[in-house]
Amino acid sequence: MADVVLEDLNKEYDNGFHAVSDLNLKINDGEFLVMVGPSGCGKSTTLRMIAGLEDISSGELRIGERVVNELPPKDRDIAMVFQNYALYPHMSVYDNIAFSLKLSRRPRSEIKERVSEVARILELESQLDKRPAQLSGGQRQRVAMGRAIVRRPRVFLLDEPLSNLDAKLRVQMRAEITGLQREVGITTFYVTHDQVEAMTMADRVAVISRGVLQQVDSPMTLFNEPDNLFVAAFIGSPSMNIMEGEINRNGQGVKMTLGSQTLSVPDEVLGQRPALEGYLGKKIAIGLRPKDLEDAAVVSDHPEDQRIRVSVQHTEALGFEIIAYFDLDAKPVISRDALELSDEEVEAVAGSATRMNARFNPATAVRSGDMIDVAVTVGNAHFFDLDTGLAIRS
C-alpha cells in the first residue's frame, strides 16, 4: 500500500481549458477518499492523471515515495474499475479475474490461489465458470473489482463504478465496496457525482468545483461545517435552504431577519461564531438545513420567537418523514455550480422568494395549502459572506 500525494497539480488542454487548477491533496495509506462534484468539475480528470491516462500539465504526483508524473500506467502499480465494467465477454469469470496474473506469467498455482481468495471475498465462488452475459449487473461489477484487486495493487481507482446500476443495487453495492475496501485495506480514490455515495462510503470526501478543490473533510464535518456556499449547497439531500438575511442586535437581544420574518438568535450562536459580530446589520447568506425545520405542532415546546409562519405549497410522504415545501419572502442565494444551473436559470429565480424544503416528523398532519408555524433550530444556522461565499465562523 501507499499514500498518494498531489502537489499543485494542473491540467490544461491545448484549447486553453483549465480542467484542474493547483490541486493539493493527500490520500493517506489505506484510506478510502471520495472526490465528488457536478459533471465537468475535474474529478475524472484528476483520477485519470493519477492513473497515467492523462498527462499532467504541471505539478507533482507521488505514489509512495516515487514521483510518477512520467511513468506509464503499467508501471504505477495501480488498478482501475470503470463504470462500464470492461469485462471480456468471451472469457469466464475465472479467466477475467485471472487475466492480469496470466499476462504477467504468474505460476498457475499462485493464480488459482489468488483468484479463489478474491472470489471468496466477493462471493463469486459459484460464478467462476460463467461468462459476463450470464451475470447480473451487480455480479459483473464484482468481477470488475475482483480483476482489479487480484493484482494486489498499491492504489485502487474507481471511476463512477455504480452509475450503470439501478437504485436498489447501487445501495447494496455501496455497502459491498466499502466493506471490501476495509477488508483488503488498499488506498482507494473513488470519484462520483452522487454526494450520497460520497457521504456513505468515504473516510474523507474531497469536494471539487470547476477544477478547484473546495474542501476535504470527513462526511459529517462537510455536512455540519461547510467552508463555503458551494459545499453547503452541494452536500446534503434535500439541499440546504440558502437565502439573504441579516443579523442585528437591539434592546431585545440578537435577531435574525429573513424577508418579513424575524427570529430570536440564541446567545451561543455569536459565541460560537465570533466573526458574525463584524456582519451585524449587513446582508449575509443564511443557510438552514431541512432537518432544522419542523412542524411546530409536533414540537410544541419550541420557543415562540424561533418560528416562522408559512403556507405549505406541497408535501411528499416518504413514510419515515414528510418533505414539506413552502415559500419564504427572502431573496434566494443560488449556487449555480452546485445545482448545475445555467446563468439564465439563476437570473430567473434571483428576484423571487426562496422555495424552502423541510423534513417533518411523519406524525405531522400538515397538507398542501395549510398555513402553519415552522419551528427553526436557529442555533444550527449557517452564515456566509455574500461577496466571497466563505463561511462566517471565527
Side-chain angles (χ1 to χ4, degrees):
M1 295 186 292
D3 52 18
V4 179
V5 179
L6 291 65
E7 287 188 358
D8 299 320
L9 217 62
N10 284 271
K11 177 61 182 179
E12 185 172 2
Y13 291 97
D14 293 339
N15 63 3
F17 177 65
H18 214 140
V20 177
S21 301
D22 299 321
L23 178 58
N24 288 282
L25 181 65
K26 181 179 181 182
I27 309 165
N28 296 314
D29 189 5
E31 181 179 32
F32 194 137
L33 188 139
V34 178
M35 179 171 278
V36 65
S39 299
C41 68
K43 56 188 184 295
S44 289
T45 302
T46 300
L47 179 142
R48 291 173 64 83
M49 284 193 286
I50 296 173
L53 303 177
E54 289 276 5
D55 292 333
I56 296 170
S57 301
S58 65
E60 186 173 277
L61 171 64
R62 297 195 305 274
I63 297 178
E65 299 302 318
R66 185 170 58 163
V67 177
V68 300
N69 289 45
E70 305 300 329
L71 285 182
K74 66 183 180 63
D75 295 330
R76 297 192 180 196
D77 201 5
I78 54 95
M80 282 191 69
V81 175
F82 302 92
Q83 59 182 315
N84 61 357
Y85 317 138
L87 302 178
Y88 297 108
H90 62 288
M91 291 185 183
S92 67
V93 168
Y94 182 97
D95 289 334
N96 263 284
I97 295 174
F99 183 77
S100 63
L101 301 179
K102 291 179 178 179
L103 206 61
S104 58
R105 301 186 182 279
R106 299 280 186 177
R108 184 174 298 180
S109 59
E110 181 186 347
I111 293 173
K112 183 176 181 181
E113 179 183 345
R114 285 167 66 168
V115 172
S116 297
E117 178 189 8
V118 167
R120 176 191 60 78
I121 292 171
L122 295 171
E123 298 181 0
L124 289 170
E125 293 165 295
S126 63
Q127 313 296 327
L128 290 175
D129 294 329
K130 294 181 180 180
R131 293 188 178 182
Q134 299 172 280
L135 305 178
S136 67
Q139 288 170 330
R140 272 178 259 174
Q141 188 58 272
R142 286 199 201 108
V143 175
M145 294 182 63
R147 187 177 58 186
I149 65 174
V150 76
R151 293 171 46 199
R152 297 176 182 168
R154 302 184 78 188
V155 180
F156 199 16
L157 306 176
L158 298 98
D159 187 7
E160 308 236 20
L162 306 184
S163 59
N164 289 338
L165 303 180
D166 62 54
K168 183 177 180 180
L169 193 51
R170 280 202 303 272
V171 173
Q172 177 186 335
M173 287 302 298
R174 287 203 307 255
E176 291 188 7
I177 291 174
T178 305
L180 173 64
Q181 195 275 338
R182 301 287 186 270
E183 182 168 349
V184 299
I186 297 174
T187 305
T188 300
F189 183 64
Y190 183 114
V191 303
T192 180
H193 66 278
D194 185 339
Q195 55 101 5
V196 175
E197 273 183 34
M199 295 290 283
T200 55
M201 298 175 73
D203 295 321
R204 287 189 303 150
V205 179
V207 183
I208 188 170
S209 172
R210 297 193 172 194
V212 177
L213 188 64
Q214 303 293 313
Q215 187 174 354
V216 187
D217 257 311
S218 69
M220 290 312 298
T221 300
L222 286 177
F223 185 83
N224 292 319
E225 301 174 30
D227 281 349
N228 57 45
L229 281 169
F230 177 86
V231 177
F234 192 80
I235 297 296
S237 181
S239 60
M240 184 185 290
N241 306 288
I242 307 175
M243 69 226 81
E244 284 191 16
E246 288 185 24
I247 303 289
N248 292 282
R249 181 183 280 113
N250 57 31
Q252 298 175 319
V254 180
K255 302 293 181 182
M256 176 193 298
T257 302
L258 300 174
S260 61
Q261 312 228 26
T262 302
L263 300 98
S264 177
V265 178
D267 293 338
E268 61 266 22
V269 170
L270 265 68
Q272 294 166 353
R273 305 166 181 86
L276 265 179
E277 290 281 356
Y279 287 84
L280 294 179
K282 299 178 182 178
K283 291 286 187 183
I284 58 174
I286 297 175
L288 295 169
R289 292 278 184 204
K291 71 178 183 64
D292 295 320
L293 302 170
E294 181 58 274
D295 177 10
V298 176
V299 286
S300 55
D301 59 341
H302 195 85
E304 294 280 349
D305 58 2
Q306 292 180 29
R307 302 183 183 194
I308 54 176
R309 186 76 173 165
V310 302
S311 175
V312 176
Q313 303 296 314
H314 177 59
T315 61
E316 295 174 350
L318 302 180
F320 59 93
E321 66 182 1
I322 304 291
I323 306 295
Y325 299 88
F326 50 86
D327 289 338
L328 193 64
D329 61 343
K331 184 178 179 181
V333 175
I334 306 297
S335 177
R336 181 186 64 193
D337 294 345
L339 304 179
E340 299 188 82
L341 299 177
S342 67
D343 289 334
E344 292 76 16
E345 289 171 313
V346 170
E347 290 175 6
V349 298
S352 62
T354 299
R355 174 55 59 93
M356 308 280 285
N357 56 81
R359 306 179 76 161
F360 284 180
N361 187 299
T364 182
V366 167
R367 296 294 179 267
S368 299
D370 290 352
M371 181 67 73
I372 66 166
D373 287 329
V374 173
V376 181
T377 306
V378 179
N380 290 345
H382 300 262
F383 307 95
F384 305 91
D385 185 296
L386 279 173
D387 294 324
T388 66
L390 297 177
I392 304 170
R393 287 200 281 263
S394 59

